[in-house]
Amino acid sequence: MEKIIVHGGNQLTGQVQIEGAKNAVLPILAASILGETGQTRLTNVPILSDVYTMNNVLRFLNMDVQFDEDSRSVDIDASGNVSGEAPFEYVSKMRASIVVMGPLLARLGRARVAMPGGCAIGTRPIDLHLKGFEALGAHVEQQDGNVIATADHLTGADIYLDFPSVGATENIMMAACLADGTTTLENVAREPEIVDLANILNKMGAKVFGAGTEMIRIEGVDHMHGVDHHVVQDRIEAGTFMVAAALTHGDVLVADAIPEHNKPLISKLREMGADVIVSEDGVRVIGPDRLKPADVKTLPYPGFPTDMQPQVSVLQLAAEGTSSLTETVFENRFMHLEELRRMNAKFQIEGQTVALFGPTQFSGAEVAATDLRAAAALVLAGLVADGYTQVTNLKYLDRGYYDFHGKLAALGAEVKRVEVPENDEVILKSSKIK
Ligand SMILES: CC(=O)N[C@H]1[C@@H](OP(=O)(O)OP(=O)(O)OC[C@H]2O[C@@H](n3ccc(=O)[nH]c3=O)[C@H](O)[C@@H]2O)O[C@H](CO)[C@@H](O)[C@@H]1O
Ligand SMILES: C=C(OP(=O)(O)O)C(=O)O
């Protein structure tokens, strides 16, 4: 078993480099299915377990995929006979593999994808994706745990999403690229990752207009081809390091972070007393001596991102006073708080809102990540905890953060990732981690 062990108390200072965005590269890898001729070359691809999983999904679909970790690039050839089936083995590993369904349906007129289950943060149905495919003329049915969508041809339609779902927006947008006529998609997700997806689709020959606004219009085309594309920076990884700087009273430049993509977080950091300096080089965060409490409510973009909620809860717990935190996107995203309770956090959950009672002097404990951002939040708490914090279940962290402990250590944190034989106790004798 692997653990991250943190000894709290160090201020973080220096510069950290951010990777390409997980939530951009996954649908973009799926989009490469639409390139019937030529090759797609993606750069700024993060080294994450989710990327390996999506690469394997594409390989299973009979595409040639080469990931060169040194240059952070993926070369994809989708010009062969692409198959239309993504089995449970892959989809169960990563829910985001459902976004292959739209491009498969567009290119082949059929897709059979294992139904993704829920996960620790919510039930996460895909009804909006499927309603969108049906509106485009597909027949959708469920059989033996699979979703099967078929269509002789897809026809453009006017579609209104009940909720601005990121995955549904991406899936329907990709399905509509090769449909006959025009599709309008209203109440869509407006995340920067949607814009990045629309950008590559347009380079591939699609006609997608309005990404980043509440309505996207897609004029169907006959053919799409492979292209080169540089993946947008990860605003959630950037935000996590901004929180780390504020929490440890540090001074960190998050290099190449895009400030426009993190407006709600930057605003909260300032409200809590941090100095946030935006420049051409990125976003520099200088933590205050004392953090002020602030209320946070998650919302679809451009609101406060749910993927920053667990990390910001640690900051709120450290602040001097009571803060409230409301989660509106997922129904069960407070699991990390029960682990933080073991580190001395005091809070009260009522429905979708939690009152967080600061200031907390976190105490080191052995804690287990329940999902990706929970893992990051627990490491963050360890940075300011008394003594040692040991975080397990790192498979979640590896889905979304490359070399998290290494980047923190380079900023001055006392943190190590270790391999521990099952049931073997790690004995820490000195204040320095050996
Ligand atoms: C790979 C990726 O990009 N993941 C992100 C994406 O996930 P994902 O695309 O799964 O998130 P959605 O925006 O679709 O989900 C938001 C909410 O809508 C609900 N819903 C969604 C689809 C549907 O058909 N029916 C339905 O009810 C979900 O259960 C959830 O409560 O956006 C989330 C919300 O910003 C982020 O937390 C995830 O990091
Ligand atoms: C919830 C997340 O991702 P996914 O949708 O891939 O589970 C996340 O990135 O925090």
Side-chain angles (χ1 to χ4, degrees):
M1 174 181 41
E2 282 191 282
K3 289 181 177 183
I4 283 183
I5 305 178
V6 199
H7 185 257
N10 292 11
Q11 281 187 321
L12 300 191
T13 54
Q15 181 170 326
V16 64
Q17 192 62 47
I18 297 308
E19 315 290 322
K22 163 180 92 74
N23 288 351
V25 77
L26 296 177
I28 285 173
L29 282 164
S32 70
I33 294 170
L34 292 164
E36 283 180 85
T37 53
Q39 294 226 336
T40 292
R41 182 179 175 80
L42 305 178
T43 49
N44 203 28
V45 176
I47 302 176
L48 299 174
S49 59
D50 273 11
V51 170
Y52 290 104
T53 304
M54 188 58 102
N55 286 346
N56 284 333
V57 173
L58 299 184
R59 288 185 188 116
F60 187 89
L61 297 173
N62 205 24
M63 291 161 56
D64 185 48
V65 181
Q66 308 289 337
F67 188 6
D68 179 24
E69 285 92 344
D70 292 337
S71 63
R72 300 281 205 278
S73 61
V74 178
D75 287 291
I76 306 156
D77 188 337
S79 60
N81 283 329
V82 168
S83 122
E85 293 196 21
F88 182 68
E89 182 192 344
Y90 296 109
V91 182
S92 61
K93 267 197 191 143
M94 188 184 70
R95 297 189 78 271
S97 22
I98 193 70
V99 293
V100 299
M101 195 149 192
L104 285 176
L105 186 59
R107 176 163 169 176
L108 306 173
R110 64 189 152 77
R112 180 190 178 96
V113 177
M115 187 84 182
C119 72
I121 59 176
T123 49
R124 308 185 73 173
I126 54 161
D127 54 315
L128 301 175
H129 305 230
L130 303 184
K131 276 190 210 168
F133 297 150
E134 280 172 339
L136 294 172
H139 173 74
V140 177
E141 60 180 324
Q142 288 182 33
Q143 223 180 62
D144 309 325
N146 295 298
V147 196
I148 302 159
T150 43
D152 288 340
H153 64 274
L154 297 173
T155 310
D158 295 336
I159 300 169
Y160 181 92
L161 295 182
D162 293 340
F163 182 87
S165 153
V166 171
T169 302
E170 292 165 346
N171 235 342
I172 302 167
M173 189 161 100
M174 289 192 276
C177 281
L178 296 174
D180 291 337
T182 301
T183 298
T184 57
L185 260 178
E186 281 186 87
N187 197 30
V188 291
R190 290 187 272 164
E191 272 71 357
E193 295 78 24
I194 302 281
V195 177
D196 207 30
L197 176 62
N199 286 344
I200 184 171
L201 291 172
N202 285 337
K203 284 195 246 173
M204 293 173 79
K207 289 188 175 169
V208 179
F209 306 94
T213 72
E214 280 165 24
M215 188 172 102
I216 294 176
R217 193 177 86 249
I218 304 127
E219 287 170 14
V221 297
D222 292 335
H223 177 261
M224 290 170 69
H225 52 84
V227 288
D228 291 357
H229 186 76
H230 190 81
V231 176
V232 70
Q233 297 297 84
D234 195 319
R235 66 194 162 99
I236 306 300
E237 187 197 12
T240 304
F241 281 99
M242 290 181 209
V243 168
L247 184 68
T248 61
H249 320 293
D251 181 350
V252 173
L253 173 68
V254 185
D256 298 330
I258 303 170
E260 293 74 28
H261 293 177
N262 262 316
K263 274 189 184 173
L265 174 66
I266 289 173
S267 159
K268 279 297 152 194
L269 291 174
R270 287 185 172 140
E271 193 180 325
M272 295 180 87
D275 198 4
V276 183
I277 302 158
V278 167
S279 72
E280 274 186 2
D281 300 331
V283 178
R284 181 176 163 199
V285 177
I286 304 168
D289 289 339
R290 295 164 154 232
L291 283 160
K292 291 185 265 186
D295 298 339
V296 172
K297 184 178 183 179
T298 67
L299 287 167
Y301 192 87
F304 192 95
T306 174
D307 292 351
M308 280 305 302
Q309 182 261 98
Q311 302 90 308
V312 90
S313 72
V314 175
L315 203 57
Q316 291 175 298
L317 282 163
E320 306 213 349
T322 301
S323 301
S324 93
L325 177 59
T326 303
E327 172 60 59
T328 74
V329 179
F330 290 106
E331 68 269 25
N332 187 28
R333 212 173 190 179
F334 287 147
M335 302 271 280
H336 60 286
L337 291 175
E338 290 308 330
E339 292 302 293
L340 288 173
R341 198 198 290 281
R342 306 180 60 239
M343 296 178 72
N344 204 29
K346 305 272 187 299
F347 58 87
Q348 195 173 343
I349 300 177
E350 285 212 22
Q352 296 295 89
T353 298
V354 57
L356 300 158
F357 306 117
T360 307
Q361 181 46 58
F362 291 103
S363 56
E366 181 152 353
V367 285
T370 45
D371 68 83
L372 162 53
R373 307 302 166 186
L378 294 173
V379 176
L380 290 181
L383 292 174
V384 287
D386 286 334
Y388 290 98
T389 300
Q390 299 188 33
V391 183
T392 57
N393 271 357
L394 299 182
K395 65 172 190 212
Y396 293 119
L397 187 75
D398 296 338
R399 291 192 46 220
Y401 293 91
Y402 171 69
D403 194 24
F404 193 49
H405 68 287
K407 291 183 182 186
L408 290 171
L411 293 171
E414 200 181 330
V415 54
K416 255 197 168 176
R417 184 164 173 151
V418 294
E419 173 79 46
V420 190
E422 291 297 330
N423 302 326
D424 226 13
E425 210 179 316
V426 183
I427 301 164
L428 298 159
K429 287 186 177 142
S430 76
S431 66
K432 284 268 167 245
I433 296 170
K434 292 274 185 293

